[in-house]
C-alpha cells in the first residue's frame, strides 16, 4: 500500500514538474516575450558598442599624446584644448610664404563649369 502511494505521489510530482517546465518554455515563445528578449539584446549590443567607441576614443587620445611628445608638438595656450601648435621655428617656417610656390598664381584661363552652358 505504501509503495503504491509513493509511486502515485512521485508520478504526480513528475507530472506537475513537467507541466511547469513546458508552460515556462511556451511563455518564452510568445511574441511579447520574444520582442522583449530582442529589445534586451539590442540594448546590450548598444552598450557594448558604446563601450567600444569610448575605448577607441581613449586609445586615439593616448596615441595622439604619444605622437605629440615624439614630434615635439606642444599645446598653444591661445588655442582650444584640441588643437596643437608646432614649436616656434617650425611654426614660422610653415606659415612663411614660399616665393617659388605656384599655387597662388592664377593661370590665364579660369575654369568655370558654367561657361559651357
Amino acid at each position: 500500500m505504501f509503495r503504491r502511494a509513493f509511486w502515485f505521489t512521485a508520478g504526480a510530482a513528475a507530472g506537475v514538474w513537467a507541466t511547469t517546465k513546458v508552460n515556462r518554455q511556451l511563455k518564452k515563445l510568445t511574441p511579447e516575450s520574444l520582442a522583449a528578449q530582442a529589445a534586451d539584446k539590442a540594448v546590450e549590443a548598444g552598450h557594448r558598442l558604446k563601450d567600444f567607441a569610448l575605448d577607441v576614443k581613449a586609445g586615439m587620445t593616448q596615441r595622439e599624446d604619444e605622437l605629440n611628445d615624439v614630434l615635439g608638438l606642444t599645446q598653444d595656450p591661445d588655442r582650444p584644448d584640441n588643437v596643437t601648435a608646432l614649436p616656434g621655428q617650425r611654426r614660422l617656417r610653415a606659415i612663411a610664404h614660399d616665393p617659388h610656390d605656384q599655387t597662388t598664381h592664377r593661370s590665364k584661363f579660369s575654369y568655370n563649369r558654367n561657361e559651357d552652358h
Side-chain angles (χ1 to χ4, degrees), residues 32-50:
E32 295 85 14
S33 177
L34 292 175
Q37 289 176 9
D40 290 342
K41 297 277 184 179
V43 168
E44 183 180 331
H47 287 304
R48 277 196 238 138
L49 188 61
K50 180 182 175 186

Side-chain angles (χ1 to χ4, degrees), residues 77-91:
D78 296 335
R79 294 177 185 230
D81 291 337
N82 61 349
V83 178
T84 55
L86 291 170
Q89 292 300 325
R90 283 197 227 166
R91 187 166 162 213

Side-chain angles (χ1 to χ4, degrees), residues 40-101:
D40 290 342
K41 297 277 184 179
V43 168
E44 183 180 331
H47 287 304
R48 277 196 238 138
L49 188 61
K50 180 182 175 186
D51 292 342
F52 174 72
L54 291 174
D55 289 344
V56 168
K57 186 175 180 182
M60 286 175 25
T61 303
Q62 179 183 357
R63 183 64 178 148
E64 185 178 359
D65 291 341
E66 291 171 2
L67 290 173
N68 286 340
D69 290 342
V70 169
L71 295 174
L73 298 176
T74 58
Q75 291 286 352
D76 189 354
D78 296 335
R79 294 177 185 230
D81 291 337
N82 61 349
V83 178
T84 55
L86 291 170
Q89 292 300 325
R90 283 197 227 166
R91 187 166 162 213
L92 291 176
R93 272 186 270 146
I95 295 174
H97 175 70
D98 184 11
H100 301 293
D101 185 14

